[in-house]
Amino acid sequence: MMKLYRFLKMVFVIVCCVASSQVLAQSVKITGKVTSGDDGTALPGVSVVEKGTTNGTVTDADGNYTVNVKSDATLVFSFVGYSTQEVAVAGKTTADVTLLADVTALSEIVVIGYGEVQKKDATGAVMNMSNKDFNKGVLTNPQDLIVGKFAGVTVTSASGAPGANTTIRIRDGASLSATNDPLIVIDGFPVEKDGPGGISNPLSSLNPNDIETYTVLKDASATAIYGSRASNGVIIITTKKGAQGKPKFNYNGTVSVSSPIKFVDVLNGDEYRDLVAELDEAGTFGIDQAGLDKLGTANTDWQEEIYQTAISQDHNLNVEGSVKDIPYRVSYGYTNQEGILKNTDLQRNSLNIMLTPSFLDGDLKITASAKGAYIDSNFGETGAVGNAVGYDPTQVVRDEEDGSLNAYGGYFNWLKHNVVNGNDNPVAQVEQTDNRGTNKRIIGTIQAEYRLPFLKELKAVVNAGFDRSSSEGHNRVPVAGWVHSTNVLTGKFNSYTGINQSDLIDLYVNYNKQIGKSKIDAIAGYGYQYFFRKKTNIDSSTVSVRKPLPDKSDNVLISFFGRVNYTYNDKYLLTASLRNDLTSRFSKDNRSGFFPAVALGWKIKEEDFMSSVTALSDLKLRVSWGITGQQGLEASEGATSVSNPYTPYIPVYQSSDLLTQYQLGGTFYTTVRPEPYDPSIKWEETTTINIGVDFGLFDDKITGSIEVFQKDTEDLINNIQIANGSNFSNFLATNIGSMKNQGIEVTLNALAISREDFTWRIGANFTSINSEITKLSLNDLDYPGVPRGSIGVGAYIQNLQVGQPAFSFYPLQQVYDANGKPIEGLYVDRSGDGGDVASNFDNRYYHHRPAADFTMGLNTRLEYKKFDFSFSGRLSVGNYVYNNVMSGNAWLGNVYSNQHWRNVPTAVRETGFVNQQRYSDYYIENASFFKMDNISAGYNFDQVLTEKLKARVSLTVQNAFTVTDYSGLDPEVDGGIDNNIYPRPRTFLLGVNLTF
């Protein structure tokens, strides 16, 4: 009986426990509101999920939520840009939550085409950087902010001139004849890189101080959403926005001093006279008494005469805050940059206004911006750079005692000696030239996002904008100057105007929803962009030559696009996109193209079998494939014979000018001639495969990525020969070539030290890319290739050929004596044909390339209490340069040429060349280098005069030093041909930043 009692008692207890557990775990309704810890505003769209389940909801426009959960549940609140927070229900029926901004999370948000994504969910090769990591002290060129910062991205300034144009290459470009420039998108507006004139670098109209982030899209998965303009990659620039709160004022100012680093080593006056005496004694250089009489007695360093120490200043004032809950940011910038070449400078006034209001309880968000700039550029006369190297050092700059020189503005001029083809006095060039241009530009954008109140997961977006740029300028030289025709001074009076306009509207919808373990983020949209250009160019001092490019041109791009980002269980990622572009640049049969892309991602670290690997904090594998296009046929240096790059399929007839009229009897008639065109021409097309691995070690103290890729470009534009009589040109540009690029990129970032008062961050990147041309003609057998790399009239040192890297050098192989000295005119007979080896093209060979075998970027930043120090440098290994400064000047026959004297580099002693040996591989030098681009140190003051005023003082050195064996001034040469560019200076900047 007792045993039965105990058994029944035990059963009763078990039943009671089960019943009580069911009561405790019963469903309860929880309501509450989620607000921001920054300003207390409601947060719509916050995810509220019962921990360990898929049960949940999102907050409405007022931040309110209602959810049914178990009474012992824990609620997880998460929102992009805010720290995740957990709240135990514990019998509650109301739970109000305040989320705090997560600085780390914000830095991990990546802007992509038509949206943004958390970096951990990105499937493509995407890299971003915020303003705190930019290179310091950049005044005019926004591209200089990211020099050396991204793997696979090279940024090379064309020269050291103020506002000089800059070449950006992402993964080495994808074209041989058309543009290799990436598409640049500023606050959602794709801009044209080419401007209407009056400015060297159109992007310098954007104030670097207004830029918040740079994002680089490299593989097709990331870029295909931009379709026919994305083969060379995409760079997305976002500018700074305001925030809710009281007005906050910030002033940033710098004063800088720039100076030349070094000059070309040439003979001084005494050394030159000694050399002339040697040559005269040799009696084989055609030096006569008349020539000796022209020799001067001075010791003039012409390079010293044309350069100066340049003083520049930059001031930026901005205010941000909110008025009636409308966040704003307004900034004004003034830049006055002086060049180291005399009579060159740039002045810029810029204004940037950004408004980010929201209405309808947060369902409608507006982002409106206006960026305006007025730039006044003084381009000077850069031809003086080369003339200063070769001008006779025995001549005076000016001789006021010689009355005959007044005819030449007081300057020495070879016309005094009746020398018609003498080179020009470089000081006269820099001091007498009035070469100025002005550019006015405004970019206006407005984006409206409306979240449907009855379907919070869906929002409609309208993105519209315009870009207006107008320029005017002139290039004038007085008649009593250095410009002459035969032996008569003519002066120069050129003028030009230009207008570039662009209008944009994008309409798309975005659906974003969490369904169980699945998350869907999809967009679908329509885009329209219109471009218009107008240019005039008048030369009233010489015979006017009409340009083949029409005075006016326009084109339209219409697009349909869509993308789906799918995530399952926060482990498995899929991205698929498709864009259909229709462009007026091509005929109706070729103007429509489809550009698909797909990418997969796997967060390996989230798998259960990786839980025991504690040292590994992140591991993700990415694989992508896609097709992109290239419709930018605007080419450089005679790369293509497209007469009209904006509508190359339309036949164009060109009017003759006054020099090419047809004479019939005593009358001259204006004629028209057909220009080559191809009705079937279309865009170049690139297929990219990318495999990437993202990783983190030791709780992300070390993070990085490895990318391996291959790009195959088809339908490359190339010139093919056409039948005589078809056009006045025997070459036609058409889609006929192909090329492939393969490469590897590595990015590493380390938080070496992280303490309360001391942090040390280190960043490094590595890139190696190989290119190979795989097709150039219909029949590549015995195809001679395409000459490139001009080194003189009708002379080229590079050649495009199947099986070779793009833009490979194509010289003769120099023969040397027992002492290692080159033997003039003696080259290896590689063809075995004998005879005149130098004139036989079969004796040339492919010898290195301008592109480096690999490049590395290195940067670091230390912060100790109120002190900070940073530097950024680059290593380039295996890049080769043809030294045309030496090839064009360092030969003894050049000393007395065309009845006047020319200086020569001291390197002429090393070769002893009498005649120019321009095709010798002697001048192709290994230009590997390490450059310390930027060194900066600063100190922060928490209180200055008042508690509300903070300050930072900094000292920055740009172009600090270069380590190289290259004999020229600078081993970093865009395109690999060193042609006496305006040298890049070393600059010291003192900066002050005030925040109130």
Side-chain angles (χ1 to χ4, degrees), residues 129-144:
M129 180 177 295
S130 62
N131 59 343
K132 63 184 178 63
D133 296 315
F134 291 158
N135 291 325
K136 308 300 180 184
V138 175
L139 299 185
T140 57
N141 290 346
Q143 301 98 318
D144 293 343

Side-chain angles (χ1 to χ4, degrees), residues 568-622:
Y568 180 75
N569 202 24
D570 200 28
K571 297 180 185 178
Y572 312 110
L573 312 169
L574 168 68
T575 299
S577 65
L578 178 66
R579 182 173 179 122
N580 174 215
D581 274 343
L582 298 96
T583 175
S584 64
R585 285 179 178 242
F586 308 120
S587 71
K588 62 181 181 179
D589 295 329
N590 292 312
R591 65 182 41 156
S592 177
F594 290 87
F595 303 94
V598 63
L600 299 172
W602 178 23
K603 297 182 182 178
I604 303 175
K605 177 57 181 174
E606 301 300 319
E607 298 290 353
D608 293 339
F609 62 80
M610 294 293 295
S611 60
S612 61
V613 188
T614 56
L616 196 64
S617 50
D618 183 30
L619 183 62
K620 181 173 69 173
L621 174 66
R622 295 176 282 105

Side-chain angles (χ1 to χ4, degrees), residues 470-748:
S470 62
S471 297
E472 61 180 3
H474 59 261
N475 188 0
R476 300 169 183 167
V477 176
V479 173
W482 52 272
V483 179
H484 57 88
S485 175
T486 63
N487 62 344
V488 179
L489 288 168
T490 62
K492 183 186 293 186
F493 200 92
N494 300 340
S495 61
Y496 56 88
T497 62
I499 296 174
N500 275 28
Q501 299 179 2
S502 179
D503 299 297
L504 170 77
I505 183 166
D506 291 324
L507 307 171
Y508 60 96
V509 292
N510 176 219
Y511 180 79
N512 194 326
K513 185 174 178 61
Q514 181 85 34
I515 305 174
K517 294 183 178 182
S518 297
K519 180 181 179 182
I520 301 174
D521 184 357
I523 64 168
Y526 162 86
Y528 171 92
Q529 191 163 8
Y530 171 74
F531 304 89
F532 173 80
R533 312 160 197 86
K534 180 181 178 181
K535 293 184 179 181
T536 63
N537 194 340
I538 301 172
D539 183 353
S540 59
S541 61
T542 61
V543 177
S544 178
V545 178
R546 188 172 180 179
K547 303 295 183 183
L549 181 66
D551 292 336
K552 296 181 181 179
S553 64
D554 65 348
N555 62 281
V556 174
L557 181 67
I558 297 175
S559 308
F560 300 90
F561 55 88
R563 180 181 60 223
V564 175
N565 290 324
Y566 175 76
T567 304
Y568 180 75
N569 202 24
D570 200 28
K571 297 180 185 178
Y572 312 110
L573 312 169
L574 168 68
T575 299
S577 65
L578 178 66
R579 182 173 179 122
N580 174 215
D581 274 343
L582 298 96
T583 175
S584 64
R585 285 179 178 242
F586 308 120
S587 71
K588 62 181 181 179
D589 295 329
N590 292 312
R591 65 182 41 156
S592 177
F594 290 87
F595 303 94
V598 63
L600 299 172
W602 178 23
K603 297 182 182 178
I604 303 175
K605 177 57 181 174
E606 301 300 319
E607 298 290 353
D608 293 339
F609 62 80
M610 294 293 295
S611 60
S612 61
V613 188
T614 56
L616 196 64
S617 50
D618 183 30
L619 183 62
K620 181 173 69 173
L621 174 66
R622 295 176 282 105
V623 180
S624 68
W625 169 93
I627 298 175
T628 52
Q630 157 67 292
Q631 60 164 299
L633 303 184
E634 308 90 330
S636 60
E637 202 232 319
T640 176
S641 60
V642 173
S643 300
N644 182 4
Y646 305 112
T647 52
Y649 70 97
I650 297 177
V652 175
Y653 287 82
Q654 181 64 57
S655 299
S656 61
D657 54 46
L658 295 178
L659 294 178
T660 58
Q661 290 180 321
Y662 184 77
Q663 183 179 4
L664 186 61
T667 305
F668 291 86
Y669 294 92
T670 299
T671 63
V672 293
R673 65 177 185 271
E675 293 291 324
Y677 76 100
D678 181 4
S680 300
I681 199 167
K682 55 170 290 186
W683 42 58
E684 301 176 340
E685 197 169 86
T686 300
T687 301
T688 303
I689 297 175
N690 192 96
I691 301 174
V693 175
D694 303 324
F695 59 88
L697 298 172
F698 313 116
D699 197 22
D700 282 353
K701 292 292 191 299
I702 299 175
T703 60
S705 65
I706 301 173
E707 310 277 354
V708 179
F709 66 89
Q710 177 169 315
K711 299 196 302 181
D712 292 283
T713 303
E714 302 290 337
D715 296 322
L716 280 173
I717 302 293
N718 189 29
N719 293 341
I720 63 171
Q721 192 161 10
I722 56 179
N724 291 333
S726 301
N727 296 96
F728 277 78
S729 168
N730 287 335
F731 289 92
L732 172 70
T734 190
N735 304 95
I736 203 168
S738 61
M739 177 177 68
K740 68 177 179 181
N741 288 349
Q742 296 175 322
I744 182 172
E745 302 165 352
V746 180
T747 300
L748 290 172

Side-chain angles (χ1 to χ4, degrees), residues 796-797 810-812 830 838 840-846 919:
Y796 300 89
I797 196 61
Y810 194 51
L812 294 165
R830 301 177 67 90
N840 186 347
F841 268 62
D842 289 339
N843 288 319
R844 293 211 201 177
Y845 74 113
Y846 293 94
Y919 296 116

Side-chain angles (χ1 to χ4, degrees), residues 175-220:
S175 182
L176 296 176
S177 297
T179 178
N180 276 304
D181 296 325
L183 175 67
I184 295 178
V185 181
I186 301 176
D187 287 336
F189 193 103
V191 299
E192 281 195 297
K193 187 175 184 294
D194 295 328
I199 185 173
S200 297
N201 180 2
L203 280 182
S204 63
S205 60
L206 182 63
N207 191 336
N209 286 274
D210 290 328
I211 296 177
E212 178 69 24
T213 64
Y214 262 97
T215 303
V216 179
L217 314 181
K218 296 190 289 187
D219 72 333

